[in-house]
Amino acid sequence: MNYLMSRLTPPRIMAIGFAFIIIIGAVLLSLPIASANGTSLQFIDALFTATSATCVTGLVVVDTGSY
Protein backbone atom coordinates (compact mmCIF):
# COMPACT_ATOMS: atom_id res chain seq x y z
CA MET A 1 0.00 0.00 0.00
CA ASN A 2 2.84 2.36 0.83
CA TYR A 3 4.38 1.67 -2.60
CA LEU A 4 1.12 2.64 -4.30
CA MET A 5 0.81 5.85 -2.31
CA SER A 6 4.37 6.86 -3.19
CA ARG A 7 3.60 6.37 -6.91
CA LEU A 8 0.45 8.53 -6.85
CA THR A 9 1.74 12.04 -7.27
CA PRO A 10 -0.71 14.97 -7.56
CA PRO A 11 -0.36 15.21 -11.37
CA ARG A 12 -1.09 11.49 -11.69
CA ILE A 13 -4.12 11.82 -9.44
CA MET A 14 -5.42 14.66 -11.63
CA ALA A 15 -4.87 12.65 -14.83
CA ILE A 16 -6.59 9.57 -13.38
CA GLY A 17 -9.48 11.76 -12.19
CA PHE A 18 -9.95 13.34 -15.61
CA ALA A 19 -9.84 9.93 -17.31
CA PHE A 20 -12.34 8.51 -14.82
CA ILE A 21 -14.79 11.38 -15.32
CA ILE A 22 -14.47 11.16 -19.12
CA ILE A 23 -15.07 7.40 -19.21
CA ILE A 24 -18.08 7.61 -16.86
CA GLY A 25 -19.53 10.47 -18.93
CA ALA A 26 -19.01 8.59 -22.19
CA VAL A 27 -20.73 5.49 -20.82
CA LEU A 28 -23.68 7.55 -19.58
CA LEU A 29 -23.98 9.45 -22.86
CA SER A 30 -23.96 6.24 -24.87
CA LEU A 31 -26.96 4.82 -23.01
CA PRO A 32 -30.28 4.87 -24.91
CA ILE A 33 -31.98 6.78 -22.07
CA ALA A 34 -29.65 9.73 -22.73
CA SER A 35 -31.18 10.47 -26.13
CA ALA A 36 -34.52 11.99 -27.04
CA ASN A 37 -35.53 9.22 -29.46
CA GLY A 38 -34.28 6.26 -27.38
CA THR A 39 -31.39 5.20 -29.60
CA SER A 40 -27.87 4.88 -28.31
CA LEU A 41 -25.07 7.17 -29.46
CA GLN A 42 -21.92 5.56 -30.86
CA PHE A 43 -19.32 5.23 -28.12
CA ILE A 44 -16.68 7.25 -30.01
CA ASP A 45 -19.11 10.17 -30.35
CA ALA A 46 -20.03 9.90 -26.68
CA LEU A 47 -16.34 9.78 -25.75
CA PHE A 48 -15.61 12.92 -27.80
CA THR A 49 -18.55 14.78 -26.26
CA ALA A 50 -17.61 13.72 -22.72
CA THR A 51 -13.99 14.75 -23.26
CA SER A 52 -15.08 18.08 -24.67
CA ALA A 53 -17.45 18.68 -21.76
CA THR A 54 -14.83 17.77 -19.17
CA CYS A 55 -12.22 20.03 -20.75
CA VAL A 56 -14.83 22.82 -21.22
CA THR A 57 -14.23 23.30 -24.95
CA GLY A 58 -17.86 22.92 -25.98
CA LEU A 59 -17.25 20.90 -29.13
CA VAL A 60 -19.90 18.30 -30.02
CA VAL A 61 -20.47 15.80 -32.82
CA VAL A 62 -24.27 15.97 -32.72
CA ASP A 63 -26.49 18.81 -31.57
CA THR A 64 -26.86 18.12 -27.86
CA GLY A 65 -30.10 20.03 -27.48
CA SER A 66 -32.03 18.14 -30.14
CA TYR A 67 -30.40 14.72 -29.84
Side-chain angles (χ1 to χ4, degrees), residues 13-38:
I13 293 171
M14 288 286 291
I16 292 169
F18 262 84
F20 183 73
I21 290 170
I22 289 169
I23 294 298
I24 294 298
V27 168
L28 291 175
L29 283 173
S30 65
L31 293 175
I33 198 168
S35 68
N37 59 2

Side-chain angles (χ1 to χ4, degrees), residues 17-63:
F18 262 84
F20 183 73
I21 290 170
I22 289 169
I23 294 298
I24 294 298
V27 168
L28 291 175
L29 283 173
S30 65
L31 293 175
I33 198 168
S35 68
N37 59 2
T39 60
S40 62
L41 184 65
Q42 289 184 354
F43 187 74
I44 192 71
D45 294 335
L47 183 65
F48 182 83
T49 303
T51 304
S52 176
T54 303
C55 297
V56 196
T57 59
L59 302 173
V60 292
V61 179
V62 295
D63 182 29

